[in-house]
Amino acid sequence: MIMYAYAYNKLVYGFQEISATEKFLKYLNELVYCDEEGQKQEILEMNEIIDGMNNKEFNAAFTKGLFNKVHRMIEEKKISMTIAVELLKHIGYCKVLKRIWFRGFEESSLNQRFKQMIIEEDKKKEERNEKLLTDLCECHLLLNRRASSELFSIYVPYLLKVAMNKEESEENQKEVEMALLALSNVDRFCRLDEELYLNEIKEIIEYHQEHHNLTRLAYQSAWLFLMNRFYFNYSESKVIANKLHFMREITRELSELSKCVDWKKRKKEVKEKRRRETKEVCMIWRWLDGILYLFRPPKLRNEEYSGLISSIVQVFRDAKDNCGDICEKCIFCIRTAAKNRAVKVDDLLKGEAIDLILEEIQRQTLNNEITNHGLKFFESISMRLKEETYNEMEEAKRKELKRKVLKSLKKKDTKTSSQVFMKNLIFSTKNIMMHFR
């Protein structure tokens, strides 16, 4: 099939390389000419194409029209539901892992078809096909994170049942990973009854911490699903978070992922406009997104915040000079942490966040976004110090923090910075110093 595609490409497009989107659509059209075994082989090749797509190609391929077409192919029995589900699950898998947003599926007739099938299959008793129902739930949730409370009450128990399977075969690990990835896509603004998930997700996390039975992506997904539930549940979240050591676990996971990434290679791919994010980079993005919202609830205090701040700082240093987008995200997370009353100023100091910000604003080539976030960071610290009581931060710690900031500022090379930046920095720094009395 690949040779045929290449010959077709030369005939129609000359020597121009056919895009990933065009390749995918071509394979989809050819599915109707294959028997089921041939379709399975075609799906494997289509999945490889999906894996290599960037965000632009992804959005160009997976439109409302494409999902409507898949629906017609199912209705006309040109492809089986099994084949359709296999394809759709992989599209959803890549969509969630790569953090790609599109509404093509939500607006399609296939979306409505799946909703109806899920509800009808769940109502069955003895004749219920749990495998089909689970597959439909995964497809629907991976492709559409917003749904009715009725659908969520169906999704969650079935997917958790799959995720709680402790068999250590490779096939089972993949099924568990897919179920947990789908659950991690449940919108954080969705309120779920704790009876639907709490005991099960805690057991999944605790069992992995002891036996290491999950893939790294599955473990991350379990945490992100639980962290999203913290958004509305402050009272329970602190108890759960401390019991499961979530700060320690996230800190370790983020640090280990960063070590697995070839940051220089990623920079080269970005320059050549052929970037295809590795799984590890995608997971770092997912952690940073999760951490960002974690910093926003004001009551989630934890003694291990400094370690988490330190891991974000380390990701920044690893990606520094190679991946500006991830660096900006790290700085934004640190800026958000500075606003959060649950994160102490001392945590920012121990985690080397203050040192990092000061290092960046002294660099000869200034990134406007990072500079802006850095100034906002200092403004937040200024306000925090004004509000802190002496019980929360002793005078000795105040003086030490002041000493470190002043020592770093003395190294500032004013010749390499714009006058506007220096004016803003001096104003911000003076404002901070007012509250270091």
Side-chain angles (χ1 to χ4, degrees):
M1 297 306 299
I2 293 175
M3 291 300 296
Y4 174 79
Y6 177 73
Y8 177 85
N9 176 47
K10 286 184 68 176
L11 178 64
V12 177
Y13 300 100
F15 289 98
Q16 181 182 352
E17 185 179 354
I18 190 169
S19 72
T21 301
E22 290 167 328
K23 286 180 184 177
F24 178 84
L25 295 175
K26 188 174 183 305
Y27 274 106
L28 182 65
N29 290 330
E30 291 177 352
L31 281 179
V32 298
Y33 303 115
C34 304
D35 59 19
E36 187 159 347
E37 283 304 312
Q39 288 178 346
K40 289 180 180 179
Q41 184 59 41
E42 294 275 290
I43 292 293
L44 292 177
E45 297 191 29
M46 292 169 76
N47 287 348
E48 289 185 11
I49 295 171
I50 296 168
D51 290 338
M53 285 182 176
N54 58 32
N55 288 21
K56 184 177 179 181
E57 291 167 334
F58 214 94
N59 281 286
F62 302 116
T63 61
K64 174 183 174 181
L66 178 130
F67 291 111
N68 284 340
K69 180 172 183 174
V70 173
H71 186 204
R72 288 194 301 271
M73 293 170 75
I74 297 170
E75 291 281 285
E76 296 168 4
K77 302 189 184 305
K78 292 180 178 179
I79 60 172
S80 67
M81 182 59 71
T82 302
I83 292 294
V85 162
E86 189 174 344
L87 175 62
L88 293 166
K89 280 170 72 170
H90 196 74
I91 296 170
Y93 176 93
C94 290
K95 170 185 177 288
V96 174
L97 179 62
K98 297 180 181 182
R99 303 161 43 257
I100 298 172
W101 185 87
F102 61 74
R103 298 192 61 180
F105 179 79
E106 294 176 42
E107 298 170 347
S108 70
S109 57
L110 187 60
N111 179 25
Q112 299 304 318
R113 165 77 177 261
F114 275 22
K115 281 183 184 178
Q116 183 180 353
M117 288 182 68
I118 290 169
I119 293 169
E120 290 178 354
E121 195 67 34
D122 181 61
K123 288 179 179 178
K124 296 178 182 178
K125 300 298 180 182
E126 296 180 0
E127 299 178 357
R128 180 186 299 156
N129 184 337
E130 287 202 12
K131 177 66 169 66
L132 173 62
L133 183 53
T134 301
D135 285 340
L136 291 173
C137 287
E138 286 177 350
C139 280
H140 202 256
L141 188 48
L142 288 166
L143 292 168
N144 177 18
R145 70 186 307 179
R146 295 180 177 86
S148 65
S149 57
E150 179 185 13
L151 282 172
F152 278 121
S153 66
I154 298 173
Y155 292 151
V156 175
Y158 282 109
L159 297 184
L160 283 174
K161 184 178 180 179
V162 173
M164 291 186 73
N165 188 335
K166 298 179 177 63
E167 184 185 336
E168 294 187 9
S169 68
E170 184 178 348
E171 182 181 355
N172 184 65
Q173 282 193 324
K174 288 181 180 178
E175 290 178 357
V176 169
E177 182 180 88
M178 188 70 77
L180 287 170
L181 185 70
L183 285 170
S184 74
N185 202 43
V186 175
D187 196 295
R188 63 176 48 88
F189 299 110
C190 171
R191 292 178 180 268
L192 296 179
D193 188 337
E194 287 184 4
E195 293 181 1
L196 275 177
Y197 70 89
L198 191 55
N199 291 334
E200 290 83 354
I201 201 69
K202 283 167 59 181
E203 181 181 333
I204 288 168
I205 291 173
E206 287 177 323
Y207 189 85
H208 173 77
Q209 289 176 349
E210 184 175 352
H211 300 280
H212 307 286
N213 64 308
L214 300 176
T215 65
R216 178 162 275 165
L217 178 58
Y219 188 49
Q220 180 190 57
S221 297
W223 269 118
L224 292 178
F225 170 72
L226 185 57
M227 287 163 63
N228 285 340
R229 309 285 68 78
F230 290 172
Y231 197 84
F232 287 112
N233 191 350
Y234 297 139
S235 58
E236 186 71 16
S237 61
K238 181 180 178 181
V239 176
I240 298 169
N242 290 336
K243 183 178 179 181
L244 298 178
H245 305 287
F246 84 123
M247 288 289 184
R248 181 194 68 194
E249 293 295 291
I250 295 170
T251 298
R252 190 195 69 250
E253 289 291 312
L254 189 58
S255 298
E256 290 181 2
L257 281 168
S258 186
K259 293 175 185 177
C260 295
V261 178
D262 185 341
W263 294 105
K264 290 184 178 179
K265 181 180 178 182
R266 185 177 185 273
K267 179 184 180 180
K268 183 179 178 181
E269 290 174 344
V270 170
K271 282 186 175 180
E272 295 175 357
K273 297 184 178 180
R274 57 183 180 87
R275 185 177 77 192
R276 300 291 186 272
E277 298 290 30
T278 64
K279 195 172 187 177
E280 290 78 15
V281 171
C282 290
M283 290 176 65
I284 288 173
W285 274 111
R286 277 162 54 82
W287 274 131
L288 293 175
D289 282 339
I291 290 167
L292 186 60
Y293 281 93
L294 180 68
F295 284 146
R296 288 177 178 171
K299 300 179 183 178
L300 193 57
R301 286 193 179 276
N302 191 285
E303 296 304 318
E304 298 174 335
Y305 263 125
S306 62
L308 183 56
I309 297 295
S310 180
S311 70
I312 298 171
V313 169
Q314 187 58 51
V315 171
F316 182 100
R317 295 195 192 284
D318 291 342
K320 186 177 178 179
D321 298 324
N322 294 318
C323 306
D325 52 351
I326 287 182
C327 288
E328 286 178 20
K329 186 74 171 183
C330 290
I331 294 293
F332 186 63
C333 285
I334 292 171
R335 166 191 167 181
T336 306
K339 292 182 179 180
N340 190 329
R341 299 302 185 269
V343 182
K344 297 177 181 179
V345 174
D346 200 39
D347 293 328
L348 299 169
L349 176 60
K350 289 179 180 177
E352 300 185 2
I354 292 174
D355 289 341
L356 175 67
I357 300 292
L358 287 169
E359 284 173 18
E360 286 308 300
I361 61 179
Q362 292 179 81
R363 297 183 70 188
Q364 292 186 10
T365 304
L366 296 172
N367 179 304
N368 290 335
E369 283 299 312
I370 289 178
T371 300
N372 179 56
H373 294 323
L375 291 173
K376 294 294 183 182
F377 171 85
F378 281 125
E379 288 175 10
S380 295
I381 289 181
S382 173
M383 296 301 296
R384 292 284 303 280
L385 289 171
K386 186 176 182 180
E387 296 169 4
E388 294 276 3
T389 66
Y390 282 88
N391 290 331
E392 292 174 315
M393 178 178 282
E394 299 113 0
E395 184 63 16
K397 289 183 179 179
R398 285 173 175 259
K399 289 181 179 180
E400 176 63 13
L401 189 55
K402 176 182 177 180
R403 186 189 67 78
K404 283 184 173 289
V405 173
L406 288 174
K407 182 179 178 181
S408 297
L409 285 172
K410 286 178 182 178
K411 298 177 184 178
K412 182 69 186 172
D413 182 1
T414 57
K415 295 180 181 179
T416 62
S417 302
S418 69
Q419 292 181 351
V420 174
F421 169 73
M422 285 305 300
K423 182 179 179 182
N424 289 336
L425 177 62
I426 292 168
F427 174 80
S428 180
T429 306
K430 284 181 177 178
N431 195 26
I432 294 168
M433 292 304 113
M434 286 174 59
H435 306 297
F436 274 99
R437 295 194 296 265

